[in-house]
Amino acid sequence: GEVKFADQVLPSVTKVVYGVDFKRVFKSKLVLGIADGWLEADGKRIYTVSDMRVGLFGAKDEAAGG
């Protein structure tokens, strides 16, 4: 994928919000998602990432050790 950084999260930032927008999910032995993500600091979008791979785990998986 691609990652873009437009600024920094500084100690003066009062609110950080991030999001992950899934585009595809593959279910096999491991559940894998393909997604775009972003981070906003005080309402300004400063980080974006496209086509990242994200392993997905549920509460049942965590209780069973992964």
Side-chain angles (χ1 to χ4, degrees):
E2 180 179 80
V3 179
K4 293 184 182 180
F5 301 94
D7 209 338
Q8 300 179 60
V9 178
L10 300 172
S12 59
V13 170
T14 59
K15 184 176 182 181
V16 174
V17 177
Y18 69 91
V20 178
D21 302 314
F22 284 92
K23 299 191 289 186
R24 295 181 75 182
V25 175
F26 299 96
K27 294 181 181 180
S28 62
K29 188 173 182 180
L30 172 69
V31 180
L32 178 72
I34 308 297
D36 294 336
W38 50 268
L39 183 137
E40 293 178 351
D42 288 339
K44 178 182 174 189
R45 190 162 293 191
I46 61 170
Y47 300 159
T48 59
V49 60
S50 61
D51 296 329
M52 67 178 165
R53 274 95 174 135
V54 181
L56 303 172
F57 304 91
K60 180 181 173 184
D61 297 325
E62 292 170 6

